[in-house]
């Protein structure tokens, strides 16, 4: 397949640096190119059934079927820091978020937040945003077919000023802000 066969006629293409983890254990690093005529940014845009990945050498393309992938990681750079210690930040959690834990068939476990909406039930995949903004992962798309366990670890709730009976220096910072419980 040539590049011209899948570039939209109006040329609207979004480029995202990604690492695709396939269910067979192989990795594909490159740039995901996809149609942005909907003017939506991921999430909540749906991924196509076949992903067009421009490989690192910039001359070849890989076609990856979503059904063959464990997850696609939208990353800051292709070289991750293996010695990075994950830090979870809960202060910027939206009131529509769930804290979830996902386990894959190979035993890998991921935690992050996802939007608490009907899309979580009806879409074929899960958009996971890592809590650690200092890490390499920006966003992760996980096909539900690759998930063997799914747990809701917490729900974001909005603490209003009226709900707080005693305001202390430690609670003053969270009044009016969502928090995970």
């Amino acid at each position: 397949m040539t590049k011209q066969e899948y570039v939209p006629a109006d040329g609207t293409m979004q480029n995202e640096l990604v690492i695709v983890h396939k269910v067979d254990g192989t990795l594909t690093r490159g740039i995901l190119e996809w149609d942005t005529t909907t003017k939506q940014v991921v999430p909540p845009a749906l991924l196509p059934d076949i992903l067009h990945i421009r490989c690192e050498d910039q001359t070849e393309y890989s076609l990856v079927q979503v059904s063959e992938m464990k997850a696609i990681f939208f990353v800051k750079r292709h070289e991750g820091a293996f010695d990075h210690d994950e830090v979870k930040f809960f202060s910027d959690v939206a009131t529509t978020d769930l804290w979830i834990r996902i386990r894959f068939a190979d035993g890998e476990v991921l935690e992050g937040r996802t939007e608490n909406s009907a899309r979580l039930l009806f879409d074929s995949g899960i958009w996971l945003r890592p809590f650690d903004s200092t890490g390499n992962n920006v966003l992760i798309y996980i096909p539900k077919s690759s998930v063997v366990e799914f747990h809701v670890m917490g729900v974001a709730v909005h603490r209003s000023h009226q709900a707080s009976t005693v305001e202390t220096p430690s609670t003053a910072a969270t009044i009016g802000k969502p928090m995970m419980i």
Side-chain angles (χ1 to χ4, degrees):
M1 178 176 282
T2 64
K3 185 175 181 179
Q4 291 78 18
E5 290 180 66
Y6 59 86
V7 172
D10 64 359
T12 54
M13 190 68 80
Q14 177 139 347
N15 298 309
E16 301 284 349
L17 198 60
V18 296
I19 300 174
V20 177
H21 292 242
K22 295 182 185 175
V23 291
D24 67 4
T26 60
L27 300 177
T28 302
R29 291 177 174 86
I31 297 172
L32 173 64
E33 295 183 339
W34 56 312
D35 182 358
T36 59
T37 55
T38 60
K39 305 292 185 227
Q40 291 181 325
V41 183
V42 290
L46 295 174
L47 286 180
D49 292 334
I50 298 176
L51 305 179
H52 302 272
I53 311 289
R54 183 169 16 119
C55 298
E56 290 179 293
D57 65 7
Q58 303 287 322
T59 60
E60 294 184 23
Y61 287 83
S62 272
L63 300 179
V64 178
Q65 292 187 14
V66 172
S67 62
E68 297 174 353
M69 114 184 154
K70 173 179 151 181
I72 182 168
F73 292 77
F74 294 77
V75 295
K76 297 174 187 172
R77 59 195 169 282
H78 281 139
E79 306 79 31
F82 294 106
D83 59 347
H84 177 75
D85 288 328
E86 182 181 23
V87 179
K88 291 185 176 121
F89 295 98
F90 295 100
S91 61
D92 62 343
V93 176
T95 57
T96 58
D97 281 352
L98 292 175
W99 169 16
I100 63 171
R101 177 180 293 153
I102 291 173
R103 188 174 65 81
F104 298 98
D106 64 3
E108 182 179 5
V109 174
L110 292 177
E111 283 188 21
R113 56 193 169 152
T114 192
E115 186 176 358
N116 186 10
S117 71
R119 293 192 61 187
L120 186 59
L121 297 173
F122 300 117
D123 285 357
S124 59
I126 301 164
W127 289 104
L128 186 71
R129 292 183 309 279
F131 284 112
D132 186 358
S133 60
T134 66
N136 192 38
N137 297 328
V138 177
L139 186 64
I140 306 162
Y141 179 79
I142 304 162
K144 288 180 180 173
S145 60
S146 68
V147 176
V148 295
E149 283 184 20
F150 176 94
H151 297 279
V152 175
M153 306 300 292
V155 180
V157 295
H158 188 77
R159 291 185 58 177
S160 67
H161 184 66
Q162 294 82 8
S164 177
T165 56
V166 177
E167 186 173 323
T168 65
S170 62
T171 61
T174 60
I175 292 177
K177 295 183 182 178
M179 62 180 286
M180 298 302 283
I181 58 169

